[in-house]
Amino acid sequence: MSEERPGHSATTADVVAELRRRAAFVMVSHVKPDGDTLGAGLALGLALERIGKRVCYFQQDPVPRTLRFLPGAARVSRELPKDLPADALFVFCDMSDPARAGSFLPAPARENVLDIDHHLGNTLFGALNYVLPAECSTGTCVMHLLRGLNVEIDAEIATCVLTTIMTDTGGLMHSNTSPEALELAAALMRRGADKERITREIFGNKRVAATRLLGRVVGAMQFGHDGRYCWSCVDDATLAACDADGEDTEDMVNVLLGQEGVEVAALFKAYDGEVRVSLRSAGRVNVQAAAASLGGGGHFRAAGMEYAGALHEAVAAVDAALVAQGLSSRA
Ligand code: 5GP
Ligand code: MN
């Protein structure tokens, strides 16, 4: 993939030198993990283990059902080993902000933090920040490091990296599916990446509960701004009625965005004691900026936030934030 190194990003050589210098690593993925945060951490972690490093995998939330097939997923834990060396490097993957790792992780000293990410608005919270916003996934950022480390890309590592690409490109469909992403996907398949398994586990094989829930979400769709905005809600009662849980809402916001004429979609998720919002844009309205104005973040076309307030307040606040980014009714 083509490399982009904005002024604030460390060079590949600097990051590779630091990886070689350290002996122990904690790969950190974000809460509500997806295939990019976990796949990127596992890919780099497995590669570091292959060259003799000690690696553990921290994640506050359990591994979602759809990602349990990932090589190494069973090793993910919300606890750190008692005998972790003081100079272990904490590698935060796919997070614009360290708070995304959750509250269980004891905050590491900044000198022990490497931040690998591709989000707009990354807060550059590490001693080293490897932030490449032109990359389609954090896993493809990791690929540059694996090449620099000169480690062999085996089938397990290839499956982890391909999972990051498939996840963040929506199965090679989103606008970030560059020729470089497709070329890398092909190269990873030649290394033994199990694309069939990734497709089945993440995009196929839906639980009946999830499909019932999708029916509810679609049934409750609302349209605004002359049909350019589509939104819907899921709450505890809806989940219970479908025998579903929060993992089953993954990707549903894309169904809302896929409706004819829709420019922006929002799914409000009011369950498990919080209100979270997933935003998607067809490309004209910057949902990252809208989410950031409400304390969240993400990418131009895919962003999210936790809203500190009631559901109806979140609906009004998100509408206003989207209007501020140019969502409007036809003149
Ligand atoms: P999703 O809607 O799939 O949960 O998230 C879409 C995008 O927004 C992802 O890139 C994710 O990292 C980002 N995102 C979701 N929630 C938050 C949040 O609370 N804070 C920040 N900074 N980014 C978020
Ligand atoms: Mn990502």
Side-chain angles (χ1 to χ4, degrees):
M1 304 207 74
S2 67
E3 279 209 44
E4 182 201 358
R5 291 197 197 98
H8 56 251
S9 180
T11 65
T12 304
D14 285 345
V15 179
V16 166
E18 187 65 18
L19 294 172
R20 287 198 193 283
R21 201 172 69 75
R22 304 270 182 154
F25 296 84
V26 181
M27 312 309 299
V28 182
S29 38
H30 61 67
V31 292
K32 314 263 184 243
D34 63 11
D36 190 26
T37 190
L38 184 56
L42 287 168
L44 182 55
L46 292 173
L48 290 168
E49 290 183 69
R50 307 276 196 264
I51 57 170
K53 309 287 188 179
R54 179 177 166 186
V55 182
C56 63
Y57 302 86
F58 174 90
Q59 185 177 274
Q60 179 164 312
D61 292 340
V63 176
R65 288 180 289 275
T66 54
L67 298 176
R68 289 189 196 148
F69 75 98
L70 280 174
R75 294 180 49 201
V76 169
S77 167
R78 60 160 56 173
E79 286 181 30
L80 296 176
K82 300 273 179 291
D83 61 343
L84 193 68
D87 67 346
L89 187 66
F90 287 71
V91 184
F92 288 69
C93 291
D94 198 40
M95 279 171 254
S96 51
D97 181 321
R100 295 271 293 143
S103 54
F104 280 57
L105 183 72
R110 188 178 180 124
E111 68 195 28
N112 291 330
V113 172
L114 165 62
D115 156 30
I116 306 178
D117 188 31
H118 68 134
H119 285 96
L120 296 171
N122 182 291
T123 57
L124 308 176
F125 54 90
L128 269 179
N129 300 286
Y130 193 59
V131 180
L132 307 175
E135 293 291 337
C136 70
S137 71
T138 299
T140 64
C141 303
V142 162
M143 265 312 288
H144 297 305
L145 302 175
L146 299 187
R147 290 196 194 98
L149 283 168
N150 211 14
V151 290
E152 194 202 324
I153 309 297
D154 62 19
E156 292 196 332
I157 295 170
T159 292
C160 290
V161 178
L162 186 57
T163 296
T164 74
I165 297 173
M166 297 281 286
T167 298
D168 275 20
T169 62
L172 308 177
M173 286 200 286
H174 297 336
S175 61
N176 58 353
T177 313
S178 59
E180 290 80 10
L182 291 172
E183 278 161 3
L184 178 55
L188 292 167
M189 284 182 74
R190 289 195 188 95
R191 295 277 177 176
D194 195 346
K195 180 175 172 297
E196 284 296 291
R197 183 99 196 259
I198 297 167
T199 307
R200 186 171 71 245
E201 300 280 355
I202 298 181
F203 298 98
N205 228 10
K206 293 290 181 208
R207 301 204 312 159
V208 173
T211 305
R212 282 204 188 98
L213 183 65
L214 178 61
R216 294 280 190 123
V217 166
V218 169
M221 282 191 305
Q222 305 213 39
F223 292 86
H225 302 283
D226 277 341
R228 296 178 188 202
Y229 178 43
C230 177
W231 59 280
S232 189
C233 301
V234 178
D235 61 13
D236 288 298
T238 322
L239 290 180
C242 301
D243 202 18
D245 63 29
E247 285 179 27
D248 294 313
T249 65
E250 189 70 29
D251 273 348
M252 278 185 193
V253 66
N254 291 313
V255 175
L256 309 184
L257 183 66
Q259 303 309 302
E260 190 175 22
V262 171
E263 287 189 359
V264 181
L267 183 61
F268 294 84
K269 307 172 188 177
Y271 48 73
D272 298 342
E274 56 184 23
V275 177
R276 297 199 58 84
V277 189
S278 284
L279 297 176
R280 296 294 184 271
S281 167
R284 198 180 63 78
V285 175
N286 182 350
V287 292
Q288 186 268 341
S293 74
L294 297 171
H299 305 282
F300 193 101
R301 293 176 183 233
M305 88 214 70
E306 183 181 345
Y307 187 83
L311 175 59
H312 69 276
E313 292 164 357
V315 171
V318 165
D319 193 293
L322 292 171
V323 167
Q325 292 307 317
L327 177 64
S328 62
S329 303
R330 285 180 180 82

